Amino acid sequence: MIFKRKIYDELLQWKQTDEGRTAVLIQGARRVGKSTVAEEFAKNEYDTHILVDFAACSSEIRDLFNDVSDLNRIFMRLQLEYGIELKERKSAIIFDEVQLAPRARQAIKYLVKDRRNDYIETGSLISIRKNVKDILIPSEEVKLHMYPMDYEEFKWALGDTATIKLLQSCFHNRTSLGDATNRKLMRDFRLYMLVGGMPQAVVSYLETNNLEKVDSVKRSIITLYEDDFNKIDPTSNASKMFHQIPAQLTSNANRYLAWSATDGTRNSELAEVISEIKESMVVNMAYHANDSGAGMALHQKPNKYKMFAGDTGLFVTLAFWDKKFTDNTIYHKLLSDTLSADLGYVYENVIAQMLKAAGHELYYYTFPTESGKHNYEVDFLIAEADKVSPIEVKSSGYKAHTSLDAFCRKFSARIKNKYLIYTKDMRKEEDVLYLPAYMTMFL
């Protein structure tokens, strides 16, 4: 199945604006649909295209790009190998899994300068850093980030093109939906939380309507990620840290405890591993904002962070990795809205995913209570204009927001808006906007 993806419009803008002066690199985790959207774009927007899959092509094709002194030779060889004619300014060449062919990526500088064709690169970031140590990264490369399907893309896949537009209008007009409508919309949203936004999982759901089969697909993707992590980190610490995400979030600690996830390995020894996990885009990192002003990136604490799964569907499967599908009561609890308080971290993960997809970097903030025995914690902070807006997340309709109030008292001059994200209908009470979880995408 070919799904409608928002990155397609970004690719179209790149093509129309740059007119061959740059190549575009689609970055993202494995299996988010990079290759599919690249090929669909090339098929629709060019007369002809050649897809060079560096994970499957011959060594002769890969070695073509070791010497770029004669581009005519390269183009002739590609046309003969793939049986496709390249038409000047009307054809695209896709470098799929480009991280496996660093010399081809380096050659982009000269291929773009030639201007005969457009170039689209795709690749996961796992191991890409190790593969570019001895090459010159082309400055003529525009990078686009691709994430799992967001909630609107998921609804499109299910054939629903109306709901999100209507919800956006309600959000901007601050129109309540009514309890019955909200319950229905939350049931729909919980299905997204279970299936997730990995295209293979969505295809499995559409074809089978069977969550057990969907779970099996998600487990195969997680196993693939494990294999990738073990390639870059033979100690298995990267894989351990990924698997520990649900346990770390439910522990209520105000940071990810890397030493605990890796059997006591010191943070200093894990710095490179953590960096590569982040670059893989398999996870979303939220950093502690030492200064809760608009320039949070300038004051983030690199060693104090939370780690979320990049896709909440995968997160749900990770949380019950050691149990068979039939024992995964979280599926039934999520669908029936009987999720217990200790499983509320599923909502925190999906809110992180939605904020990231909406273009926000993730930050949170903690500070001691008046007694000093506990901490207040604001789940997320987002920059809005020159101020910040705190977000507190609830997995129920519970409306208490002690941490939110304390934060706003402490930094009253810096506050733009105050949000509480929960499972009930939208409402405004005093200066707090209560939003159902599915409206997070509009922040």
Side-chain angles (χ1 to χ4, degrees), residues 203-348:
V203 168
S204 179
Y205 175 74
L206 292 174
E207 290 181 343
T208 69
N209 199 33
N210 185 324
L211 289 176
E212 183 172 2
K213 293 187 182 299
V214 173
D215 189 70
S216 178
V217 169
K218 291 189 291 176
R219 286 173 186 265
S220 69
I221 295 173
I222 291 171
T223 300
L224 177 68
Y225 288 170
E226 283 182 324
D227 292 342
D228 281 341
F229 281 133
N230 289 334
K231 288 175 186 175
I232 64 169
D233 176 36
T235 68
S236 297
N237 281 331
S239 181
K240 290 176 183 176
M241 291 185 69
F242 178 62
H243 266 278
Q244 277 287 304
I245 289 174
Q248 291 276 332
L249 286 177
T250 195
S251 69
N252 291 320
N254 61 14
R255 68 172 75 190
Y256 188 104
L257 302 176
W259 62 267
S260 173
T262 57
D263 304 320
T265 308
R266 291 180 298 180
N267 284 338
S268 59
E269 299 175 38
L270 293 170
E272 185 173 354
V273 170
I274 293 168
S275 177
E276 294 202 354
I277 293 174
K278 177 185 176 183
E279 289 187 9
S280 74
M281 295 179 67
V282 168
V283 304
N284 290 321
M285 305 284 282
Y287 289 96
H288 191 277
N290 283 359
D291 188 316
S292 58
M296 289 178 285
L298 300 174
H299 306 284
Q300 73 179 36
K301 201 166 186 177
N303 294 323
K304 190 172 184 180
Y305 57 86
K306 289 188 174 185
M307 190 181 294
F308 300 94
D311 178 72
T312 302
L314 296 184
F315 179 91
V316 170
T317 296
L318 272 178
F320 289 85
W321 184 253
D322 58 343
K323 297 183 179 180
K324 294 180 180 179
F325 171 85
T326 50
D327 295 326
N328 287 355
T329 57
I330 191 170
Y331 281 86
H332 306 292
K333 288 185 177 182
L334 267 170
L335 282 176
S336 61
D337 196 22
T338 56
L339 192 68
S340 59
D342 63 331
L343 295 177
Y345 52 81
V346 182
Y347 278 92
E348 194 174 344

Side-chain angles (χ1 to χ4, degrees), residues 7 11 99 103 167 211 225 241 268 306 309 353 395 443:
I7 198 171
L11 289 168
Q99 78 275 7
R103 292 294 173 185
L167 288 178
L211 289 176
Y225 288 170
M241 291 185 69
S268 59
K306 289 188 174 185
Q353 180 181 347
S395 61
L443 296 180

